[in-house]
Amino acid sequence: MTTRHDTPDIFALSEIHGPVLRPGDPAYADEVTGFNLAALHTPDVVIGASAPDDIVTAMRWAKATDTPVAVQATGHGANFPIEQGLLINTARMTDVAIDPTTRTATISAGAKWSHVMAAAAPHGLAGLSGTSTDAGVIGYTLGGGLPVLGRAYGYAADLVRSFQVVTPDGRLRETDPQHEPELFWALRGGKGNVGVVTSLVTELLPLPRLYGGGIYCPGEHTEALLRAWADWTRTVPDEMCSAFTILRLPPIPQIPEPLRGGFWARVAIAWPGLPAEGEALIAPLRQAAPVAVDTVEVMDHAALDRIHMEPQDPLPARESCLLLRDLPPDAIRTFLEQVGPAAGADHPLLMVEIRHMGGAMSRPSRVEDAVCSRDALYFIDSVGILAAPPAAEAIEQATQQLYTAMAPYGTGRTMVNIHGTPGDEQDRARAWTPEVYARLRHDKATYDPSNLLRYGHAVTPA
């Protein structure tokens, strides 16, 4: 491995069209900083890739010098600091090409979902985005991609038709179900363990609008709303997508009034069907507890961010998750004991959410992939903001207590994109079943035997 005091000659990187920076260069800090400010990257070299050829050159150099490689587009998933090695920043590669005839999009490595939405909307089309369209498409999809409309349409990885990828041997490859199918399998749900994706082709949805938003109740009504929502989720059609959220929001200008500084229970709704049908379906939720704010309405699909209202500005966050087999009364009671009103308004976790899974997310992909969350009926994740050391300690303690308490109701697995800071191999392996993890290790040994791609949520070669 390289060290910051003994960096290999980077003359070979002079062919790269984007910037090639080392610690101390004026633009270095900006180039390595991602959305999640909890991970402070300090690589020996960072390149700002502007085209696939730049990534090919970088990977060949990394192989020749045995330099470990990490990749970052937006940095929403930057929960692990990159120290030493090479960081490839793909944020400049934002091209999106829409084919309205085949209803597909060709998306470059650094494009955000907002870029896809803007390009697809004039054609009445949309992509399977997650809760924030500010996130990068590639990293999100490589981890499976948990869409807002997942119950209706499945995982983002399910809609991918092909990838262009640079493997650690420096080869630019095209892969789809017919060409290198094992590589195609490993890229859909196996995260970035077998190569650096330069672009993908994915199907789009003919869905210019949807019925969605949030139903907010004061925090003291958390239990009533949660129990009503849990019962309601057992009756709704697959197309109804929702999540129950507890929010303890800080009094900062970025949060709109009247939510700013408040303690709230929310049900987020996304319904792709007729608005009148959606309105009838969610009527019991509006009657379950006093509603303070109701933002559920017909919206353009490009306005999807208004449903979950995730932060738009970079911040230091601690995230974690757990897949749940079910949500029985005992699980609800345990959840409320940990993060409900009795835990206090000053509980350190900003957001704790239970997502309704199932529906299309429970069905196998048309082409087999490495996504391992199809047996979960619910999914819990949490976010704490690491503002200062005391806060960080409190957030870590609250996170551990929450997931220890909820573990009896879990499948034992996590989702790789929302796993949080990856631990040892046993911890990282929780994102997959033992069978899938073993297969990923075999593929890792095939495509990356030197383990160049070993940062973050890495799989160890067999």
Side-chain angles (χ1 to χ4, degrees), residues 67-149:
T67 301
V69 178
V71 186
Q72 179 168 279
T74 64
H76 280 73
N79 48 45
F80 186 92
I82 307 304
E83 298 173 347
Q84 306 177 340
L86 167 68
L87 176 62
I88 300 174
N89 182 358
T90 63
R92 292 169 177 77
M93 300 171 62
T94 58
D95 290 345
V96 176
I98 305 297
D99 186 333
T101 303
T102 60
R103 294 205 305 232
T104 59
T106 302
I107 304 169
S108 293
K112 301 178 181 182
W113 277 112
S114 58
H115 298 135
V116 178
M117 298 301 191
H123 306 285
L125 301 172
L128 268 183
S129 165
T131 53
S132 172
T133 62
D134 189 57
V137 175
I138 301 298
Y140 162 89
T141 305
L142 293 179
L146 180 60
V148 172
L149 290 169

Side-chain angles (χ1 to χ4, degrees), residues 8 66 76 130 137 264 279 285 301 346 380 387:
D66 193 29
H76 280 73
V137 175
W264 304 97
E279 185 171 11
L285 298 177
H301 200 287
D346 59 348
I380 179 173

Side-chain angles (χ1 to χ4, degrees), residues 285-447:
L285 298 177
R286 285 173 163 152
Q287 299 166 4
V291 177
V293 178
D294 189 333
T295 66
V296 183
E297 60 182 359
V298 178
M299 63 176 65
D300 290 342
H301 200 287
L304 198 72
D305 287 343
R306 284 158 43 193
I307 296 178
H308 284 259
M309 294 182 63
E310 293 209 351
Q312 298 299 305
D313 298 319
L315 44 76
R318 165 70 163 99
E319 193 168 32
S320 193
C321 72
L322 180 68
L323 292 162
L324 301 176
R325 295 188 307 272
D326 204 345
L327 196 61
D330 284 351
I332 293 174
R333 187 181 308 112
T334 300
F335 179 82
L336 290 169
E337 288 171 354
Q338 291 295 317
V339 295
D346 59 348
H347 190 276
L349 296 181
L350 173 78
M351 183 278 289
V352 184
E353 183 165 276
I354 304 176
R355 181 87 64 95
H356 188 200
M357 304 286 278
M361 290 189 289
S362 66
R363 296 190 280 271
S365 175
R366 286 170 295 175
V367 179
E368 187 186 17
D369 60 25
V371 176
C372 293
S373 47
R374 300 183 191 273
D375 59 342
L377 291 182
Y378 297 89
F379 169 77
I380 179 173
D381 72 301
S382 60
V383 175
I385 304 304
L386 306 171
E393 293 173 7
I395 288 167
E396 189 61 32
Q397 182 178 13
T399 299
Q400 295 295 336
Q401 289 177 348
L402 171 63
Y403 291 101
T404 298
M406 296 301 293
Y409 313 103
T411 66
R413 294 195 297 277
T414 67
M415 293 192 74
V416 60
N417 280 349
I418 317 171
H419 179 94
T421 304
D424 59 15
E425 182 176 359
Q426 183 178 3
D427 177 64
R428 298 193 303 272
R430 293 189 301 127
W432 301 281
T433 63
E435 296 78 15
V436 167
Y437 185 68
R439 185 172 170 183
L440 285 171
R441 290 192 65 202
H442 179 271
D443 292 342
K444 180 77 169 180
T446 299
Y447 292 101

Side-chain angles (χ1 to χ4, degrees), residues 33 36 41 69 72 76 86-87 91 97 131 134 162 185 189 200-201 211 239 277 321 406 445:
T33 301
N36 188 353
H41 301 322
V69 178
Q72 179 168 279
H76 280 73
L86 167 68
L87 176 62
T131 53
D134 189 57
S162 65
W185 173 86
L200 63 76
V201 178
Y211 182 68
E239 293 76 18
E277 293 177 358
C321 72
M406 296 301 293

